Amino acid sequence: MKLIFLNFIISFIISSALIVVSTLFSKKTILDREKASPFECGFDPKNTSRIPFSIRFFLIAIVFLIFDIEISILLPLGLISNSAPPLIWISVGSSFLLAVTAGLYYEWKEKTLDWIT
């Protein structure tokens, strides 16, 4: 029983010492505002959350998301090329690409993709 208690005390002391040493050596002395802020969305998290944002940025992000999903839908076409007749998977892939290209053309004609207005 004493051996188990002694092992517990030793492991507690070693882990506590490691936590203290890592805290002392990993402490940043200079906090840079730019490095401390998140960079994914471009918004400052320390200010109010009710600030207006650019709807153009949102629309470009949605168009990117559509084309990102398009890639994930088109990638399996290469895998089914051995199991399906070529006419079927080429026609399915071509019709899907035609629909996405028509959507891109519509976005372009509506000037949604123009960043500067």
Side-chain angles (χ1 to χ4, degrees), residues 13-70:
I13 290 172
I14 290 174
S15 62
S16 298
L18 285 175
I19 289 173
V20 167
V21 167
S22 67
T23 304
L24 289 176
F25 286 124
S26 69
K27 193 64 125 175
K28 291 184 178 181
T29 56
I30 300 172
L31 290 177
D32 189 14
R33 182 174 182 263
E34 294 297 324
K35 289 183 180 179
S37 68
F39 58 92
E40 293 91 11
C41 62
F43 296 120
D44 189 11
K46 294 177 180 55
N47 290 339
T48 179
S49 64
R50 300 289 180 198
I51 59 174
F53 65 95
S54 173
I55 194 71
R56 298 251 181 225
F57 178 77
F58 179 72
L59 291 175
I60 294 293
I62 294 296
V63 170
F64 173 75
L65 183 65
I66 289 170
F67 282 102
D68 195 33
I69 292 171
E70 172 210 358

Side-chain angles (χ1 to χ4, degrees), residues 72-94:
S72 66
I73 290 173
L74 285 177
L75 278 177
L77 282 178
L79 296 175
I80 67 165
S81 64
N82 294 334
S83 61
L87 185 63
I88 292 176
W89 66 268
I90 287 175
S91 64
V92 167
S94 298

